[in-house]
Amino acid sequence: MSKRAPALLIDDMLECIEKINSYLEGLTFEQFIDDNKTTDAVVRNFEIIGEAANRLPDEFRHRFSDIDWQRIRGFRNRIVHDYMGIDFQIVWTIIERYLPDLKKQLLSAKEARSG
């Protein structure tokens, strides 16, 4: 497992979410897929989110089982191992539908750990 504390891994994940949101601010899907730097940056941050989730101790993941850790790690594996086959429509859907909830869940987990 990681030598980084769970709180730091959660901070890493939250930082990546903020980066993704800032990279995409004001962009349409078409603008996103036409900008290789932005698509690369977004994918890289999803990789980090998945890697951080993978490094969390099982006890932590069980304690915060409302977060779909398996799906987060699975998405990371998919984009890392099938990097030439990334479906950016799926990436965009994840950003719009699931990333805001993940951010809220991670903030709650962080608060519960420090509170």
Side-chain angles (χ1 to χ4, degrees):
M1 266 312 123
S2 175
K3 295 186 192 264
R4 290 176 64 77
L8 293 176
L9 293 167
I10 295 300
D11 284 342
D12 294 341
M13 296 171 76
L14 288 165
E15 181 179 334
C16 287
I17 291 170
E18 289 305 315
K19 285 181 180 180
I20 290 169
N21 289 333
S22 72
Y23 299 154
L24 297 175
E25 189 172 337
L27 294 185
T28 65
F29 174 71
E30 291 73 24
Q31 291 168 321
F32 167 61
I33 61 172
D34 286 342
D35 184 345
N36 289 334
K37 287 180 185 176
T38 302
T39 57
D40 286 352
V42 167
V43 167
R44 174 66 179 142
N45 279 278
F46 272 119
E47 291 171 3
I48 294 168
I49 289 169
E51 188 61 28
N54 196 45
R55 291 176 182 222
L56 287 166
D58 288 338
E59 162 264 310
F60 184 91
R61 288 195 302 260
H62 291 300
R63 180 172 176 204
F64 300 101
S65 60
D66 57 318
I67 300 173
D68 195 345
W69 301 112
Q70 177 107 2
R71 189 175 227 180
I72 295 167
R73 293 172 12 211
F75 183 61
R76 177 253 177 223
N77 291 340
R78 189 167 192 184
I79 60 177
V80 167
H81 297 294
D82 194 17
Y83 61 90
M84 294 307 290
I86 296 172
D87 182 337
F88 287 106
Q89 185 61 58
I90 292 172
V91 173
W92 190 259
T93 299
I94 290 168
I95 291 164
E96 288 188 320
R97 291 189 188 164
Y98 302 108
L99 212 55
D101 287 339
L102 177 59
K103 180 180 176 179
K104 289 177 191 171
Q105 291 172 316
L106 292 172
L107 287 169
S108 292
K110 181 179 175 175
E111 188 176 297
R113 293 239 349 139
S114 63

